[in-house]
Amino acid sequence: MVGPSLSDDESRIASMRLKIGFVLLVGISAGFVALAADATLQQVGYAFVGGTAVGIALMAFLTYWGREFVSVNRR
């Protein structure tokens, strides 16, 4: 039988990098949307910060939901 290809530490690091990447993707996306709407540089910065905050909230919700889902469906 084949075991997991990543150790527990490697899995934790990969998960954290994925979460950070997701949050930054949401923040950068908000900044690009503001840029496409001809916003000033300051408004683009506000959109990036706001988008990053929304990304953090979304990641917190998804992490909570994921734990609930795994605990219910664990065999």
Side-chain angles (χ1 to χ4, degrees), residues 4-43:
S5 60
L6 295 175
S7 69
D8 288 340
D9 286 338
E10 290 172 332
S11 178
R12 184 181 48 79
I13 290 170
S15 177
M16 183 58 66
R17 286 181 180 170
L18 183 64
K19 289 177 182 180
I20 291 170
F22 178 79
V23 168
L24 288 177
L25 179 68
V26 173
I28 291 170
S29 175
F32 277 141
V33 168
L35 193 61
D38 293 328
T40 64
L41 188 58
Q42 184 178 14
Q43 291 169 331

Side-chain angles (χ1 to χ4, degrees), residues 64-75:
Y64 170 77
W65 181 76
R67 287 184 190 146
E68 291 270 324
F69 182 75
V70 169
S71 68
V72 169
N73 292 320
R74 188 165 296 235
R75 295 178 189 218

